[in-house]
Amino acid sequence: MENLIVLKYGGTSVGTLDRIKNVAEKVAKLHRSGKNIVVVVSAMAGETDKLLGMAEKLIDKPARREIDLLLSSGERISCALLSIALQALGCPAEAMTGRQIGMHTDDAHTRARIIHIDTTKTLKKLKENKILVVAGFQGINEDGDVTTLGRGGSDTSAVALAVALKAEQCEILTDVDGVFTADPNIVPNARKLDMVSFDEMLEMASLGAKVLQIRCVEFAKKYNMPLLVRSSFEDQSKGTLICKENKDMEQPIVSGVMRDDKQAKITVKGVVDKPGIASEIFTALGNAGLSVDMIIQNISAEGHTDISFTLASVDCDEAIAIMEAITDKIGLKEILVDRKISKISIVGAGMRSHSGVAAKMFQTLSAEKINILMISTSEIKVSCIIEQKHSKLAVQQLHSAFNLEKKPRRITKKQ
Ligand code: ADP
Ligand code: ASP
Ligand code: MG
């Protein structure tokens, strides 16, 4: 739709009634300037964790279906309040739940994927000059049950809507002024990046830069929808543009340091060392929808070996149960679990053509006597698993070792 902008406000930005009023004023101004507007909101700051905590007080592992219904209420509250605040300013706003906005997902409760968005009603309302205020993070499955898109999922709701409605722009308004070389809350002199390519942002998001949910970046890349990430508090903020790689981008060797503390390491000890065992283990995990990150297999001794892998800590208990279920099949002797680990990563498109980057990372960690438990690399990243207690120090030291606080010398890309 012509002249349509999709805005997404995160939890902190709608965290109090005053902040909601503030957002309403900005949206109203934009609407009066002639824009068609869809605003996606997250639950008020802390609300999702609070609801989750309440369920977990009742039972150890609440059913995912009920969790989805419970958590979706957080976004319903904030979208209804923002719509009311807009109406108080005389704007023709309407609050919409996931169901009302036509967000159809699969039925993987708590981590559902969007299958299709029915835009018929939405487009009709937009043509009537309405501002649509959408509850992010939620959809419905084939049975009409409420689903949620995984933590941070309102980002994905916004980008998917922007794509489906052919918006001219999609802005993610948050509590920091864009994407930084490291989490600015950990590294105070982290530098804001003006432009980041989809590929780099995909790596950053998957490695712990929670400023954007990874699935929203996947969507944006697939449909080439540029994203502007900027502060919801500063009107003049230029933020960070996430788009296709182009010649105006900085080409530093390393563009950022990321930390992910929500990881766990599982070691299955003494499994039989014969063809098919790794396949047995990782097929079982994959079939349950669990994504494994790093994998290491030790040298075998007397026909047996140890395999270690990492995954998101929320999936750890489920993975242990799956390993227990196939104990006999794989000849497993013992399962060890380490939940106090962190994954520290450096990311940069310029790494493709430079050597010695990983070595510098290892030297920096070793100078701080930080032991590396696992390593993995790709074309544009190096990740190390370390003990969680060192994670903040590791990020700070790597940030300064790679001089990330300073703007890199401009290297014009050969086309
Ligand atoms: P919202 O509620 O708006 O969705 P989030 O808390 O999900 O906001 O994401 C914003 C937070 O992401 C920031 O407050 C910051 O602490 C964190 N963050 C982590 N890494 C980065 C990074 N590289 N650049 C910017 N923010 C980051
Ligand atoms: N409220 C959800 C969460 O806290 C979704 C979001 O904020 O994007 O994860
Ligand atoms: Mg978020």
Side-chain angles (χ1 to χ4, degrees), residues 8-11 41-44 46-49 71 74-75 136-137 150-157 213:
K8 180 258 168 178
Y9 285 90
V41 286
S42 289
M44 294 167 84
E47 188 66 18
T48 310
D49 285 331
L71 298 193
E75 269 70 10
F137 177 54
R151 297 305 303 264
S154 302
D155 296 337
T156 303
S157 310
Q213 198 202 32

